[in-house]
Every structure is written in C-alpha cells, then in structure tokens.
Amino acid sequence: VVDAAHINARMDAFEQSFPNAVRAYAAKAFLVPALAAAVAERGWWLDVVSAGEARLALEMGVPAEHLIVHGNYKTPDEVLLAVVRGAGRVVVDHPAEVTQLAEAARLHDREVDVLLRLNVDIDVETHPKVRTAGSDVHFGMVVSEAASAVRAATGPVHLRGVHLHLGSQLRDPDVYPAAMEAVAEFVEVHRAAFPDVVDLDVGGGMAVPYVRSDPVVPVGDYAAAIERGAYEAERMIGPVRILIEPGRAIVANAGVTVYRIGVRKPGPEGVPFLAVDGGISDNPRPALYGAEYEAVLARRADEPHDHPFRVVGRHCETGDTVVPHAWLPADADHGELLVVPATGAYGFSMASRYNLVSRPPVIFVESGRERVVVERDDSLPGLGA
Ligand SMILES: Cc1ncc(COP(=O)(O)O)c(C=O)c1O
C-alpha cells in the first residue's frame, strides 16, 4: 500500500533542494504506471536498466529524451531500443559498449549521447552488497578502461559527461564531493573530448530510515554536499550540469506491506515465530542484506508493542525472514493483519513468484481514496490466468 502524497512530498523536496539539477527517478526502486505518469508530468527524467522499464516509461508518457539507460549488460535489443528511440543519455559501462552503440547508430542513422560510468575507488560506508564503488565491484570502468572508451567515442557517439553511483543508503553526504572530484580529475585529463558543459551524474544513494533508530538525513544535506562537489569540479573542468538519480529516497517510506499472520509457534530463547502470508517473494531485502524493519499490528497499533517476535515468511528457505527483530503485543496471533512500514523501495520491484505464490497487488492511497494500480498476479506459468 503506497501513500501517493508521500511520493509527491519527496519529489517536491528534491525539486526544492536541487532546483538546477536534472532530476531522474531510479525506476529500479519501484515502477508502476501511476508512478511513471507522475515522473512524466513533473518533467523528471527516468533511470532505466531494462527494455521493460523503458517500455513502461515510454508507454506512460516519459519522453525518450528523458531516459537514462543504464546496465552493466545491455542486451542487443536494449542497445537498439536506446539508439532508435533516442534515449536522453546512455550510460556506458564498458568500452566495447561504445562500439555496439556506434554500430546500431550507423545502421539506423541516429546519434547517441553517452555518459561514461566511472568506478571510483573511494571509501563508501554502506552494506557491501549495495556498495557500487571499489575494485571488487563489477559496475563501471576504472580510469584506464574509461580512457579507452573516450578514444572509442567518435562518429555518431557523443560524449556528454561522466556518471558515478557509489551505492545505496549513503548516510554520509560527504562521499559525493569526494567522488565528484575523482571523476573531475578524469575529465580534466581528457578535457578536449568532452563538451563545454560536462554532465556530471552523481547517481542515487540518498539514505532513508527503515526503523525508528535510523538517522534521517535531510535532502538539503545531500544538495549542499553535491553543490560543494560541483563547485570544486567546475574549478577544475569548467561548467558542469548535475544529474541526480534518487530511487529509494523517493519511495521507500511511502510504502507499507500488509500481511496476514497465519501461524504462531514457539521459537528460540522464548521469542516466538510468527509466519505471514508472504516473505522473500515480496521483500527479499532481509534475506539479501539482513535488512531490518519494524512491524505493527494494524488494528492494535495503539497497544504496547513490547514483546519480541521473529516474523518469518512462508517460503521454503530458512533465510525467509520478514522482520527478524519485531516488537508486538504479547498475544499477537494468527488471523491478525501485520503491517511492515518502509517497504516502498526494492520490494515490489524485486518480487518473485517463488513457490508460485501470487504477487500481491499494489494499492495507492491519496486523500482518503484508494486505487489498485497493479492487480494481484496469480497466473500460472505456461497456463496463464
Ligand atoms: C546507477 C544507479 N542510479 C541510481 C540508483 C538508485 O539508488 P537508490 O535507490 O539508493 O537511490 C541505483 C541503484 O542501484 C543505481 O544503480
């Protein structure tokens, strides 16, 4: 269940804090038609990683020139789509991609505007599985690879700037200026190959609170740090245009997942298990990253939630945890609705049909009204609905 007003408020906050940047929403966090339509209406750009995301965006009115096409492996069809539809920017992740783009562009008589994704090896504090900077990470190019991509970018491929994305849940805004300086050094070396105004895309990664003890980092703090980074970059390489790609920071706190408790059974050290009608299939983050959430009983929210529980899913995995350290009323039991807040990002978008459970619907609520924006999917693979 998604609070549409919250998404709007977050987009407002980014518009106020980053008035001069190109604001792109990272579709991977959560993309449904209603959200793509809002992105189009506000004139935001959209960061897409697959033909599926791109097609949904185009269908909902996001112009092709507002698409930033990402991916460490773009299929030939995806390269073609980006070139033929005229994506605003294609982010090159490895040097051979420049050749692929050039071939497609020549074949279809098009021009392509690209950013080079650099992997800058700076210290980034976040969960290792969502850190995308450093030599053990398979995204982007180190300086020597990026240099050969610069040399390859000729003919119909136009170098417009550089891209970096350091990772997700970056609670320290100061990592942005540090990384921006590193990529500016790269541009400085190859200055003649770049245009007068260089696109400097700093990616997403702005952090959100998942549990009450998590810090809240204001959007303005990121804006101030990125502005400092831009200032330093401009001293080195001349005018830059900043692009940002927040995902989680727009939608994470807008969504809650509503489960039904099906089973209560004794657990270790007196902490009972509660099994709910979902789990790793609607939110794999606890299993993937040990992500923490909180839980609340929907109809007893004002009662003391002071008894420890372990909320688990219904799938055939011991790692299928929903809320590893939940606090609920002591008598919480089967039949009750359990709500997990802060599930708006990387839940629905990572959902699967594991064990052929149905994929839950998505419901937007706004001004006291609800609308189903995605129907429950309980089709049978190979057999259909
Ligand atoms: C290139 C790029 N941009 C933006 C994002 C969005 O990150 P976040 O949701 O943390 O803002 C990601 C996330 O993986 C990404 O890979």
Side-chain angles (χ1 to χ4, degrees):
V1 177
V2 175
D3 177 358
H6 183 97
I7 294 182
N8 276 323
R10 295 298 289 170
M11 293 180 96
D12 287 346
F14 273 91
E15 286 173 14
Q16 279 151 19
S17 294
F18 290 92
N20 301 316
V22 170
R23 298 169 296 264
Y25 168 65
K28 66 205 83 183
F30 172 60
L31 191 67
V32 292
L35 185 46
V39 165
E41 206 170 294
R42 280 176 178 263
W44 281 47
W45 292 31
L46 198 73
D47 147 0
V48 296
V49 180
S50 70
E53 290 177 352
R55 282 172 38 225
L56 193 149
L58 292 166
E59 186 87 11
M60 295 313 295
V62 179
E65 63 267 25
H66 284 179
L67 294 182
I68 304 178
V69 175
H70 279 283
N72 64 313
Y73 169 40
K74 303 172 185 75
T75 66
D77 281 354
E78 286 164 351
V79 170
L80 201 62
L81 181 85
V83 169
V84 172
R85 298 299 295 257
R89 294 288 180 268
V90 179
V91 180
V92 169
D93 199 84
H94 60 103
E97 220 171 73
V98 179
T99 319
Q100 292 162 9
L101 288 164
E103 277 169 10
R106 282 201 188 92
L107 200 62
H108 295 275
D109 197 18
R110 298 286 200 282
E111 311 277 316
V112 199
D113 292 318
V114 303
L115 306 179
L116 303 184
R117 178 163 180 172
L118 273 108
N119 180 343
V120 286
D121 199 1
I122 65 166
D123 275 347
V124 176
E125 245 180 74
T126 189
H127 191 286
K129 292 206 177 143
V130 293
R131 177 173 52 79
T132 52
S135 54
D136 56 340
V137 166
H138 60 273
F139 297 106
M141 295 174 277
V142 295
V143 164
S144 57
E145 285 176 307
S148 68
V150 168
R151 286 190 294 275
T154 53
V157 177
H158 304 286
L159 204 50
R160 297 294 181 206
V162 279
H163 176 278
L164 60 97
H165 173 73
L166 301 168
S168 260
Q169 274 298 78
L170 309 178
R171 288 185 176 142
D172 175 10
D174 285 341
V175 292
Y176 289 88
M180 289 163 80
E181 202 169 314
V183 296
E185 275 167 20
F186 174 82
V187 175
E188 199 173 28
V189 173
H190 303 276
R191 188 64 190 85
F194 287 90
D196 290 346
V197 180
V198 178
D199 278 357
L200 185 42
D201 186 335
V202 299
M206 297 78 181
V208 297
Y210 280 91
V211 296
R212 267 167 284 197
S213 57
D214 280 346
V216 177
V217 187
V219 177
D221 289 8
Y222 290 104
I226 290 166
E227 200 172 312
R228 245 185 307 121
Y231 180 78
E232 280 308 314
E234 290 197 327
R235 279 174 19 134
M236 297 162 69
I237 57 173
V240 299
R241 179 174 73 155
I242 298 296
L243 293 83
I244 54 167
E245 302 172 343
R248 172 189 321 262
I250 304 292
V251 290
N253 293 133
V256 302
T257 306
V258 185
Y259 299 98
R260 192 171 296 279
I261 301 172
V263 175
R264 173 176 176 148
K265 51 163 93 150
E269 290 156 21
V271 179
F273 289 113
L274 292 176
V276 297
D277 57 347
I280 201 169
S281 58
D282 55 77
N283 186 2
R285 296 187 68 256
L288 280 174
Y289 324 128
E292 296 280 350
Y293 289 90
E294 289 176 359
V296 59
L297 290 188
R299 301 201 198 284
R300 297 205 271 149
D302 47 5
E303 288 182 23
H305 281 48
D306 54 6
H307 200 82
F309 286 89
R310 189 184 302 178
V311 181
V312 299
R314 55 166 303 191
H315 296 284
C316 308
E317 295 282 320
T318 304
D320 183 16
T321 308
V322 175
V323 184
H325 306 103
W327 293 87
L328 297 164
D331 59 347
D333 212 333
H334 67 90
E336 296 193 85
L337 293 180
L338 178 135
V339 175
V340 177
T343 55
Y346 302 104
F348 177 78
S349 61
M350 285 185 167
S352 74
R353 297 286 313 279
Y354 182 35
N355 295 142
L356 281 191
V357 297
S358 61
R359 197 184 55 194
V362 177
I363 298 162
F364 269 38
V365 290
E366 190 163 26
S367 312
R369 290 234 172 92
E370 82 232 19
R371 65 189 160 119
V372 177
V373 299
V374 180
E375 299 281 348
R376 178 179 293 281
D377 179 6
D378 53 11
S379 61
L380 295 175
L383 294 176

